[in-house]
Amino acid sequence: MTGNINDLSRYSQYDTEKLDLIKEVLREFKPIDMVKCYCREISFDEDAILESSMDMDIDDDKVPMESRPGELREIRKSVLKVIPFSEPEKYCPECGREYPKEEVVCPDCLVHLKKISDKVDVCDIKSEPKFIFNGQNSYESFEDLLNKGNLLKINEFDFTIDDYQIILHDIKSQAFLNFNKLVKENEIDFDELDILEKIILFAKSFVKVDYKSSGSQLGYFESDVISIDDRQTDSLQITTLIHELSHFLIQEILIHILCKLLDATRNSLTESLLTFILSYAHFTQLIDEYAAHNVEGRFTIFGFQDYSSFTQIEQSMDGEMTAEEIEITKSIGNTFALSIKEILESLIDRQMREEIKEQFLKDVMERPNYRALEMENCQILNDEGFIKAIWLILNDGCEVAASNIDKLLSIL
Ligand SMILES: [Zn+2]
Ligand SMILES: [Zn+2]
C-alpha cells in the first residue's frame, strides 16, 4: 500500500450521527434550560424536607396497616419508618432479595443467605481482564517481531474492513466474558449498583482500575491500568473512565490488527509496540486524543468537554503539521471513536446512557461551551480511507520502532 496523510482527505465524508448529536445538544441544553434545571433541584429538596417533617407527626405504632387500606400515604410512611427496627441484614446471592437476620435460606433460589455487610464494594474488586489473540507465531524479542519479512507484511497490508469487523466483535465478546466472570465471582447484583459503580465494573472488564488521590491529572491509562482520581464528582469519574477506556480500546484494536497481519500471538511485546506507536509521533498522539475526547462526548454531553490534552499537543507542534493535516487526524479519531462507541454500547445500554447524562446534569455547575462545539470536526473516513489510515499508523510506526528497539525495551 502507498500514500500519505494528505491523500486521506479524499476518503472523508460527513459523520451524520455526530452532527445530529451536536444539533440535539444545542437544542436541549441552552443556558435557560440549565437555569430551569437548578430550580427543579431546589424545589425537589424543599418537598423532601416538607415530607420528612410530616413523617414526624405520625405515630407509627398506632397505624394498623391492614385496617386502613385507604390511607396509603400514611401506610407507606409507616413502613418507611419501621425499617430501622427490622433492617435486613442478609441477602440472597442469587436473586438479591434482602432478608432479616433470623432467615437462613432463600426459599425461591434454595441457597444460603449471605450477610449484607459482607457485600463486595465494586471499587475494591481486583480484576485481571484478559484479551487474547492467538496466532501461529509467538515472538519473544522485538528484533524478531519487527524482522524484515514482518515489516514487508505490514507494508503490503493484507487486511480488509471485514477483518476489522471480526476484530471488533472479538474484543466485544472477550469483554463480555470478563464482565460475566466479575459479576459471578463477586456475586454482584448489577441492578443494585449506581451508575458510577456500573461504569467502574465495566471498566474493570477491560482493564485494571486503580485509585489515586494526588496529582492534578483526572486520570490516565498506562499499560493495562487506568488510574483515576476518586476526589472528583461521580460524573467526572465516569467521563474520565470512558476517556481512558477509549485509549485502551484504540490500543487493543491496533494490537489485534497487528497480530492478524503477522499471524502472531498477543503478548507483552505487541502491547509495548503499540504503546510506542501511539505515543512516538504527534500524528498518532492527536488521533488517539481526539478519539478519546469524542467517545467521551458521545456518552455524556457535548459542550462540557475538555479538549485540553488535544490542544496541548497541537500547540507543542510548532507548525510541524498543516491545518488540513490536523483536521485529518480528527477525522481518523472520529472514525476510531465510532468503533469504540460500538464496543462500549454493547455493555452500556440506552438506559445507562441516560443515567450518565442525569448524573452529569446533577453534578455540573458550569454552562456548556458552545464555542468548542462549533469547532468540532464532523468528518469520518469511509472504509477504504480508514484502512489506509490504519496502514499509515502501523506501517510508519513499525518502521520507526524497528530502529528504536532501546525505546521499546524501556516501555516493556
Ligand atoms: Zn433468592
Ligand atoms: Zn486522553
Side-chain angles (χ1 to χ4, degrees):
M1 207 183 280
T2 54
N4 64 42
I5 178 171
N6 288 299
D7 291 343
L8 292 174
S9 57
R10 281 194 283 139
Y11 305 96
S12 206
Q13 63 193 38
Y14 273 111
D15 179 353
T16 47
E17 191 191 310
K18 189 173 173 186
L19 275 174
D20 288 348
L21 206 62
I22 290 178
K23 264 190 242 155
E24 191 190 327
V25 171
L26 286 173
R27 203 181 53 234
E28 270 185 41
F29 299 103
K30 291 185 213 96
I32 182 77
D33 283 343
M34 295 298 295
V35 175
K36 261 194 234 158
C37 173
Y38 296 140
C39 296
R40 228 178 290 140
E41 288 284 336
I42 293 161
S43 62
F44 174 78
D45 281 340
E46 279 170 358
D47 270 345
I49 294 163
L50 205 69
E51 286 220 2
S52 65
S53 63
M54 282 168 70
D55 272 352
M56 318 255 292
D57 297 328
I58 300 168
D59 190 353
D60 293 304
D61 295 333
K62 290 186 183 138
V63 181
M65 283 167 61
E66 292 84 359
S67 65
R68 292 167 64 183
E71 295 182 35
L72 270 178
R73 189 179 166 86
E74 278 73 13
I75 289 170
R76 182 177 59 82
K77 287 182 188 303
S78 152
V79 170
L80 278 177
K81 285 201 77 179
V82 169
I83 281 173
F85 302 104
S86 62
E87 203 169 326
E89 285 186 24
K90 289 182 177 172
Y91 74 100
C92 166
E94 280 293 314
C95 67
R97 193 183 307 150
E98 296 185 338
Y99 291 89
K101 178 166 95 187
E102 53 280 10
E103 297 299 328
V104 183
V105 291
C106 172
D108 291 340
C109 311
L110 296 175
V111 292
H112 273 279
L113 300 178
K114 298 208 161 194
K115 276 193 189 160
I116 290 176
S117 56
D118 292 342
K119 247 188 190 175
V120 213
D121 182 341
V122 171
C123 295
D124 297 334
I125 294 174
K126 293 263 173 282
S127 71
E128 289 282 342
K130 295 240 179 313
F131 286 88
I132 297 160
F133 191 102
N134 285 320
Q136 295 293 317
N137 306 304
S138 187
Y139 295 102
E140 300 300 333
S141 75
F142 286 116
E143 286 84 356
D144 243 7
L145 175 64
L146 295 166
N147 67 40
K148 280 221 164 68
N150 280 352
L151 290 180
L152 196 66
K153 268 191 208 162
I154 296 165
N155 188 272
E156 285 167 355
F157 215 69
D158 180 14
F159 188 83
T160 64
I161 203 73
D162 290 337
D163 296 327
Y164 183 79
Q165 289 304 336
I166 292 170
I167 282 174
L168 289 191
H169 180 83
D170 200 30
I171 294 176
K172 252 193 252 179
S173 49
Q174 294 194 36
F176 255 116
L177 287 179
N178 292 337
F179 173 72
N180 269 342
K181 199 163 165 250
L182 274 184
V183 171
K184 289 223 170 90
E185 281 178 357
N186 297 287
E187 294 169 346
I188 291 162
D189 182 357
F190 189 71
D191 296 328
E192 287 284 298
L193 304 180
D194 65 34
I195 185 66
L196 174 61
E197 290 173 316
K198 284 177 185 168
I199 301 293
I200 291 174
L201 198 65
F202 284 144
K204 288 186 175 184
S205 318
F206 291 94
V207 283
K208 294 171 195 153
V209 178
D210 257 2
Y211 299 91
K212 66 181 196 87
S213 47
S214 62
S216 59
Q217 268 178 303
L218 300 177
Y220 53 86
F221 163 63
E222 221 171 59
S223 91
D224 58 349
V225 185
I226 286 177
S227 296
I228 178 163
D229 195 325
D230 54 8
R231 293 169 299 176
Q232 315 165 61
T233 58
D234 283 12
S235 56
L236 260 179
Q237 290 189 56
I238 291 170
T239 47
T240 307
L241 280 167
I242 290 175
H243 180 104
E244 301 308 327
L245 261 184
S246 308
H247 284 311
F248 164 78
L249 281 168
I250 291 189
Q251 181 175 305
E252 198 54 40
I253 290 170
L254 290 172
I255 292 173
H256 280 236
I257 297 174
L258 183 84
C259 289
K260 165 87 175 80
L261 285 168
L262 303 180
D263 194 7
T265 295
R266 182 200 191 290
N267 60 17
S268 56
L269 295 187
T270 53
E271 199 178 296
S272 304
L273 175 57
L274 261 306
T275 306
F276 172 82
I277 291 176
L278 286 170
S279 59
Y280 84 103
H282 289 134
F283 170 62
T284 51
Q285 286 175 14
L286 287 174
I287 294 171
D288 194 19
E289 236 15 276
Y290 200 80
H293 283 302
N294 201 341
V295 177
E296 203 185 314
R298 286 169 196 256
F299 278 96
T300 56
I301 295 168
F302 272 116
F304 291 99
Q305 277 177 298
D306 166 22
Y307 276 86
S308 55
S309 29
F310 183 88
T311 334
Q312 258 170 30
I313 304 167
E314 214 180 352
Q315 283 161 355
S316 72
M317 288 200 305
D318 203 19
E320 181 195 314
M321 282 167 93
T322 65
E324 292 82 62
E325 285 170 340
I326 291 173
E327 282 310 302
I328 292 168
T329 66
K330 291 183 184 175
S331 306
I332 302 172
N334 276 339
T335 319
F336 270 116
L338 283 180
S339 303
I340 296 165
K341 192 181 78 107
E342 190 190 316
I343 295 174
L344 293 180
E345 273 184 0
S346 58
L347 288 169
I348 306 175
D349 62 20
R350 180 188 286 274
Q351 196 205 324
M352 287 180 58
R353 294 200 292 278
E354 284 307 313
E355 280 176 57
I356 295 176
K357 287 182 183 162
E358 280 165 26
Q359 185 66 46
F360 210 87
L361 288 174
K362 244 189 252 168
D363 293 345
V364 127
M365 291 313 249
E366 319 130 39
R367 289 184 172 189
N369 179 353
Y370 295 116
R371 237 179 74 79
L373 263 194
E374 282 154 15
M375 292 187 319
E376 284 277 346
N377 169 304
C378 290
Q379 299 280 316
I380 44 170
L381 297 176
N382 65 16
D383 292 350
E384 197 187 346
F386 191 44
I387 294 290
K388 273 185 180 286
I390 298 171
W391 168 79
L392 205 58
I393 295 169
L394 288 179
N395 188 55
D396 287 8
C398 288
E399 263 177 30
V400 176
S403 44
N404 282 286
I405 302 283
D406 52 325
K407 289 202 179 124
L408 294 175
L409 287 168
S410 71
I411 299 173
L412 192 63

